[in-house]
Amino acid sequence: MIHHTMIVAFDEPIPTDELDTYLEELEELTMDTGAFESFAARHHLRVPGDDHAPVAVASAVVRFGLTDLGALDSAFALPGVGEFIGRWQARRPYKAIWVNHEPLA
């Protein structure tokens, strides 16, 4: 099992309902392909210290589970992924950073 953990930071504050829509669409897109074994997502929990973040403040964190690195590599080319990213980037620009890792516990 490989985890692909992604931190998503929208450039401007995003309303909760829109963030929920983004996460729901992402889950539907990825889980409907059959390439992913699991999906989990949570909103960032804001605290006053976020005002001092050196790079960006996350909007959400997403964890995808896949069988192995080959499945993860193939996932980037799945139908609909590029369209999803382009549509959301045009609507609400965001940045994403991720890490590919074995399960933490």
Side-chain angles (χ1 to χ4, degrees):
M1 169 71 75
I2 294 296
H3 285 167
H4 175 74
T5 300
M6 181 172 71
I7 295 171
V8 180
F10 284 86
D11 293 356
E12 299 292 331
I14 182 170
T16 299
D17 62 329
E18 281 191 72
L19 181 56
D20 287 341
T21 299
Y22 170 86
L23 296 172
E24 289 164 5
E25 288 181 8
L26 182 59
E27 179 176 18
E28 183 178 317
L29 170 68
T30 55
M31 294 307 293
D32 284 355
T33 66
F36 294 81
E37 294 190 351
S38 64
F39 176 98
R42 296 292 182 268
H43 290 221
H44 170 70
L45 302 175
R46 185 154 173 68
V47 297
D50 289 345
D51 294 338
H52 308 289
V55 178
V57 175
S59 302
V61 61
V62 181
R63 191 199 70 225
F64 305 94
L66 298 104
T67 55
D68 56 31
L69 288 173
L72 173 58
D73 192 42
S74 297
F76 285 97
L78 289 171
V81 172
E83 186 275 331
F84 173 84
I85 293 168
R87 183 169 42 85
W88 273 96
Q89 285 286 357
R91 180 177 175 181
R92 289 214 173 254
Y94 66 91
K95 294 173 183 57
I97 185 170
W98 57 76
V99 59
N100 305 319
H101 57 93
E102 295 175 334
L104 297 174

